[in-house]
Amino acid sequence: MRFTSTRGGDTATFSEAVIKGLAGDGGLFVPETMPDISSYLTRWRGLPYTELAYSFLSLFATDISGNELRHCVENAYGAFPDPKTPAPLVELNTGLHVLELFHGPTLAFKDFALQLLGQLYGRHIRNTGQPVNILGATSGDTGSAAIHGMLKQPGTHSFILYPEGGIAGLQERQIACTGSPLVHPFAVRGSFDEAQSIVKQIFGDAAFSSAYSLTAVNSINIARILAQCIYYLDTVLKLDVNADRPLEFIVPTGNFGNVLAGWMLSKMGIQGLRFCVATNVNSVVSVFFQTGEYRPGKVTPSLAPSMDIQQASNFERWLWWHFSGDSVRVCKVMNALRRDGNFILNEIPADNDIIRTASCDNDGIKTWIERIWNDKNYLIDPHTACAFTAVRENVRTVILATAHPAKFPETIISVTGQSPKHPSLEVLKQRTVTKQILPADTETVKAAIARILDIR
Ligand SMILES: *Cc1c(COP(=O)(O)O)cnc(C)c1O
């Protein structure tokens, strides 16, 4: 299996695509052809999660030996407290299920992708002898999930930039209380956008980033998307989905990576899948699916901060499939987006029959946290609450619960009086925060990285 850039100017094997992240032409890697997995479903039903993950990924990671892939998958999902059921499905009402994706090491769904990515980077280090160091900016969950994915890879340094005072207290503790000498939290005196732009500038200096073996923790790595397909597939098998027994997944959405992963299964021959893109007030993607107009603006901070995104980077992959792999059309749209800051598709996206949308403001988030607690005695986090607003009667539904409620206690306490806790977060509250506070200045950050790596 080869992977091709959405912009048509690069191809790669799976391993190459994993290490590159972004394609050489600035596009995103997608599988050149989609396997039809419908005939495997009978054989896959009832498999343990790691076996299912192995069987699915081996269709794509064809340049990795079976033994190596198995090793990566078992280590990735072995890090979950219950490796047999890393993604438990809870039935709240008849036909209304919650897929709990928050049982990983950092209590957010990003662990599913980043635990695997860490293992794949580890394999690269073992096989090539080349070091891999991680550099990224985070507004919350990605940074900690990336750090915890890399922690077990010997010798790998992680540099994570975040806005000083700009992320939730517990999120900062997950980044800055690991106790690992290889993890370097850089609290930047500036906004997330400034931190992000420093990271981009550092990668723009190819001599520097290659001298220090820096790799981006991208939300656009194809391995992340494929890892996320697996819990959808697991759910499809458990709930026996087909054309006569449809199922709708409601997905809290920011960068469009999670919902794209589910939607890709419909491109692999699975029938009966429906999706709802659930955003907070940053509803650029929702508006696009209603009108055909994609117009990112300024981010509005919300109670669901990990979805405070206007530029949904994975959207480019959806466009590629929507244009039946016509990379020239993808380039035209992406150029228009860069030039004008927006674009309009002449047709309303034909995907409307399998993708619908919903968005939710802060009042809606609070209302649903309170309602589900009162009615079901079940606590949901603010991101998951955005999905609950979209539930419809008499439709078989799975809501993706993307974060543990204990990660965002303030909102939950304010509406339910309950203070959700998780042992791994309680431990962090006892530890000291170790971070460097730096000005929002690229040269200063580069000097800090060089100082650390030069004295290895
Ligand atoms: C990242 C994140 C999201 C958004 O996922 P995308 O793949 O960016 O659409 C939703 N909820 C939580 C808790 C997250 O951390």
Side-chain angles (χ1 to χ4, degrees):
M1 161 84 63
R2 287 196 68 82
F3 293 80
T4 181
S5 166
T6 47
R7 300 189 192 174
D10 198 4
T11 70
T13 64
F14 177 77
S15 311
E16 287 162 356
V18 166
I19 293 304
K20 278 188 163 179
L22 203 65
D25 58 359
L28 308 185
F29 284 115
V30 283
E32 219 162 46
T33 52
M34 279 296 211
D36 185 336
I37 61 172
S38 55
S39 61
Y40 301 134
L41 294 187
T42 321
R43 210 183 320 151
W44 285 352
R45 185 158 291 127
L47 284 184
Y49 194 88
T50 46
E51 277 301 310
L52 180 65
Y54 169 75
S55 305
F56 177 79
L57 292 171
S58 59
L59 300 175
F60 297 90
T62 49
D63 64 321
I64 299 187
S65 75
N67 279 343
E68 281 182 303
L69 186 61
R70 197 176 282 280
H71 174 88
C72 289
V73 166
E74 283 174 359
N75 283 329
Y77 301 112
F80 284 63
D82 179 2
K84 284 209 183 67
T85 319
L89 198 57
V90 175
E91 189 162 18
L92 276 193
N93 270 348
T94 311
L96 175 62
H97 306 262
V98 177
L99 181 60
E100 294 185 344
L101 299 175
F102 51 67
H103 296 289
T106 70
L107 310 181
F109 85 95
K110 292 188 172 76
D111 288 325
F112 280 86
L114 285 159
Q115 283 294 319
L116 182 73
L117 194 62
Q119 293 298 326
L120 292 168
Y121 284 154
R123 169 184 173 271
H124 176 80
I125 298 166
R126 280 194 303 278
N127 290 358
T128 64
Q130 292 164 357
V132 171
N133 296 314
I134 293 296
L135 170 66
T138 185
S139 61
D141 295 327
T142 306
S144 53
I147 287 170
H148 288 262
M150 295 308 292
L151 268 182
K152 280 166 278 172
Q153 307 312 324
T156 293
H157 290 258
S158 300
F159 300 93
I160 301 295
L161 279 65
Y162 59 91
E164 163 69 1
I167 63 174
L170 285 171
Q171 287 179 320
E172 177 173 55
R173 286 184 168 272
Q174 286 185 313
I175 295 171
C177 299
T178 61
S180 165
L182 298 175
V183 175
H184 312 287
F186 288 172
V188 171
R189 279 198 216 91
S191 65
F192 167 70
D193 288 340
E194 284 170 283
Q196 180 75 44
S197 115
I198 292 172
V199 167
K200 283 196 180 137
Q201 283 176 36
I202 294 177
F203 281 112
D205 182 346
F208 183 89
S209 60
S210 81
Y212 292 107
S213 306
L214 296 174
T215 303
V217 272
N218 275 321
S219 67
I220 43 77
N221 200 300
I222 185 66
R224 287 183 63 171
I225 305 292
L226 292 172
Q228 292 173 178
C229 293
I230 300 160
Y231 47 73
Y232 287 96
L233 182 58
D234 190 40
T235 307
V236 163
L237 292 167
K238 279 182 182 152
L239 296 183
D240 192 17
V241 180
N242 55 53
D244 300 325
R245 285 175 54 79
L247 178 72
E248 181 170 86
F249 289 97
I250 308 183
V251 189
T253 298
N255 249 322
F256 203 68
N258 202 3
V259 67
L260 179 87
W263 178 83
M264 277 166 62
L265 292 185
S266 67
K267 296 272 155 199
M268 297 181 206
I270 309 276
Q271 306 277 313
L273 298 179
R274 307 276 182 279
F275 299 91
C276 176
V277 173
T279 55
N280 61 25
V281 284
N282 297 284
S283 58
V284 182
V285 179
S286 290
V287 171
F288 169 77
F289 280 103
Q290 288 156 23
T291 65
E293 179 169 8
Y294 186 80
R295 185 180 289 277
K298 232 173 103 66
V299 167
T300 307
S302 80
L303 294 176
S306 302
M307 290 155 56
D308 289 347
I309 292 170
Q310 292 271 331
Q311 301 272 2
S313 42
N314 270 294
F315 193 60
E316 183 169 342
R317 287 195 166 103
W318 179 88
L319 273 179
W320 186 82
W321 274 293
H322 181 67
F323 294 154
S324 312
D326 183 346
S327 50
V328 174
R329 281 187 81 187
V330 174
C331 287
K332 271 192 194 140
V333 167
M334 297 315 290
N335 285 339
L337 184 60
R338 199 170 38 224
R339 189 184 59 231
D340 310 331
N342 65 79
F343 67 82
I344 300 170
L345 282 195
N346 296 331
E347 72 279 11
I348 300 264
D351 253 305
N352 267 348
D353 55 345
I354 81 158
I355 297 183
R356 69 180 180 100
T357 65
S359 57
C360 178
D361 62 14
N362 284 344
D363 285 342
I365 289 174
K366 289 184 180 164
T367 303
W368 281 96
I369 292 173
E370 186 179 16
R371 192 173 297 175
I372 299 301
W373 170 249
N374 288 342
D375 293 356
K376 298 287 161 195
N377 228 6
Y378 185 79
L379 286 177
I380 55 174
D381 98 289
H383 303 81
T384 307
C386 294
F388 270 91
T389 61
V391 171
R392 293 183 295 184
E393 299 274 317
N394 304 320
V395 179
R396 257 201 335 156
T397 301
V398 171
I399 287 182
L400 272 63
T402 50
H404 195 287
K407 265 191 117 162
F408 301 95
E410 293 81 5
T411 309
I412 294 168
I413 294 168
S414 76
V415 291
T416 65
Q418 298 297 312
S419 166
K421 292 210 162 51
H422 189 279
S424 73
L425 297 175
E426 295 308 303
V427 170
L428 290 179
K429 289 177 189 166
Q430 315 301 319
R431 301 218 187 126
T432 32
V433 171
T434 311
K435 61 178 173 181
Q436 288 194 45
I437 302 178
L438 297 173
D441 171 60
T442 305
E443 292 310 316
T444 313
V445 173
K446 275 175 154 174
I449 293 172
R451 207 159 41 239
I452 289 162
L453 293 181
D454 284 341
I455 54 162
R456 273 173 302 175

